[in-house]
Amino acid sequence: MIRHSIKRGNPLTWVLDLIGETCLRAGFSSLKTLFILFSLLNMGVAYTQDFDERREQMVASQIKDRGIYSRSVLRAMRMVPRHEFVPTHLRKLAYEDRPLPIGHSQTISQPYIVAYMSEALKVEPGDKILEIGTGSGYQAAVLAQMGLEVFSIEIIPELAAQARENLLRTGYLKVNVRCGDGYEGWPEEAPFDAIILTAAPEAIPPKLIEQLKPGGIMVLPVGPVHRLQYLKRIEKKEEGYTQSTLLPVRFVPMVKPPRP
Ligand code: SAH
């Protein structure tokens, strides 16, 4: 039976189901139909294995060899299928050492930067984290794979919808995505153990500092639009905070929504 309405789970299963039924209806014998399905399944497995191998290589050469040692970060980078978070026509580039466009003039960060920022957060499984700039949902998936409770805000509605779809399809069902302005944070869920920004504000947003727990860490790029920015690590204290500069980086700007 074809389950047209059930599109969750492995998309391969329902596609094969559909092709099988179509072949039978077209008058192919059961044996021929089985053969067609088996060949298609084999092609699918080879396609997925190819990505798995490339992901392993990516982690070895771009992440581990460059000094990322956190076991949970390395494990998450090995587990999350990055190719599922980029536009279909760019999938073959998903494991390259570079950021990639995801539409609406936005980008998914270079894998090394995702790993570096995830490690700099110094989080533990079970911690509650706020991400600003959901984009494709990839960074959120990496954080969820590390065992964190993830809340993520995206300002562009189409990207928020796409990220939700990507996260559902890859099984990261517990990530909470909200479409809204990241400068406001997510006050109903505050305080957070950690906050990560994947778009660069010109200055550290004060409301985000407020929503961080004492002892909590915020990792963010800060700097002028499309000019040199620095990745910073903020540690909130009982009073005020300390900050250190980690790396020169280039991120898309964190935009201010138009005033009503
Ligand atoms: N973390 C993403 C990459 C994000 S790119 C990933 O893994 O794919 C930065 C994102 O920040 C963009 O999608 C952009 O639309 C979003 N953004 C920019 N300004 C924002 C704001 N004020 N609030 C929330 N999201 C914002």
Side-chain angles (χ1 to χ4, degrees):
M1 198 187 82
I2 310 176
R3 292 175 298 272
H4 289 290
S5 54
I6 304 176
K7 295 202 173 168
R8 250 176 269 158
N10 187 349
L12 197 63
T13 325
W14 58 261
V15 169
L16 288 177
D17 219 10
L18 188 69
I19 295 171
E21 179 118 350
T22 313
C23 287
L24 288 172
R25 279 210 194 126
F28 288 10
S29 69
S30 307
L31 203 65
K32 202 165 179 182
T33 302
L34 254 180
F35 178 73
I36 292 172
L37 287 179
F38 183 71
S39 312
L40 284 170
L41 192 65
N42 256 342
M43 277 162 59
V45 170
Y47 183 73
T48 316
Q49 266 174 359
D50 191 29
F51 283 129
D52 290 350
E53 273 167 31
R54 288 196 219 175
R55 193 161 59 253
E56 277 298 324
Q57 276 171 13
M58 171 196 86
V59 174
S61 63
Q62 298 171 36
I63 316 283
K64 225 175 154 196
D65 281 2
R66 292 188 190 154
I68 303 294
Y69 61 87
S70 156
R71 290 167 75 98
S72 77
V73 172
L74 291 171
R75 186 169 175 277
M77 297 297 293
R78 277 197 191 101
M79 300 284 291
V80 181
R82 186 174 158 94
H83 62 277
E84 296 281 357
F85 291 84
V86 302
T88 322
H89 68 285
L90 295 176
R91 280 191 171 178
K92 56 184 181 306
L93 302 178
Y95 298 103
E96 304 271 307
D97 189 14
R98 52 176 281 195
L100 288 172
I102 52 171
H104 304 270
S105 310
Q106 305 303 321
T107 53
I108 176 174
S109 306
Q110 176 193 6
Y112 173 69
I113 291 291
V114 172
Y116 184 93
M117 291 174 84
S118 306
E119 184 170 76
L121 291 163
K122 304 261 181 266
V123 277
E124 306 272 333
D127 280 358
K128 194 171 179 181
I129 186 163
L130 174 65
E131 179 194 25
I132 308 299
T134 320
S136 66
Y138 176 68
Q139 172 78 69
V142 169
L143 297 169
Q145 183 65 55
M146 288 165 65
L148 307 182
E149 193 188 353
V150 185
F151 294 83
S152 185
I153 306 179
E154 170 56 52
I155 202 161
I156 300 178
E158 292 84 354
L159 286 181
Q162 180 68 58
R164 280 194 196 103
E165 199 187 305
N166 292 344
L167 288 160
L168 277 182
R169 183 167 17 83
T170 47
Y172 296 99
L173 310 181
K174 290 192 189 152
V175 174
N176 305 282
V177 177
R178 166 188 273 188
C179 185
D181 175 20
Y183 283 99
E184 297 299 318
W186 198 318
E188 308 88 301
E189 292 293 341
F192 295 95
D193 297 291
I195 300 183
I196 179 172
L197 277 70
T198 61
E202 297 205 359
I204 300 165
K207 287 192 183 163
L208 298 184
I209 300 268
E210 275 167 31
Q211 293 179 26
L212 200 54
K213 269 186 198 165
I217 303 279
M218 174 149 84
V219 173
L220 77 163
V222 189
V225 178
H226 300 308
R227 302 258 299 279
L228 191 60
Q229 306 150 351
Y230 285 95
L231 199 63
K232 295 196 180 260
R233 187 167 180 273
I234 307 285
E235 187 170 345
K236 178 141 173 200
K237 301 289 176 194
E238 284 299 338
E239 290 203 4
Y241 60 86
T242 56
Q243 58 171 302
S244 51
T245 300
L246 305 174
L247 281 183
V249 286
R250 192 177 283 233
F251 274 78
V252 294
M254 181 163 165
V255 296
K256 296 216 166 67
R259 284 170 193 270

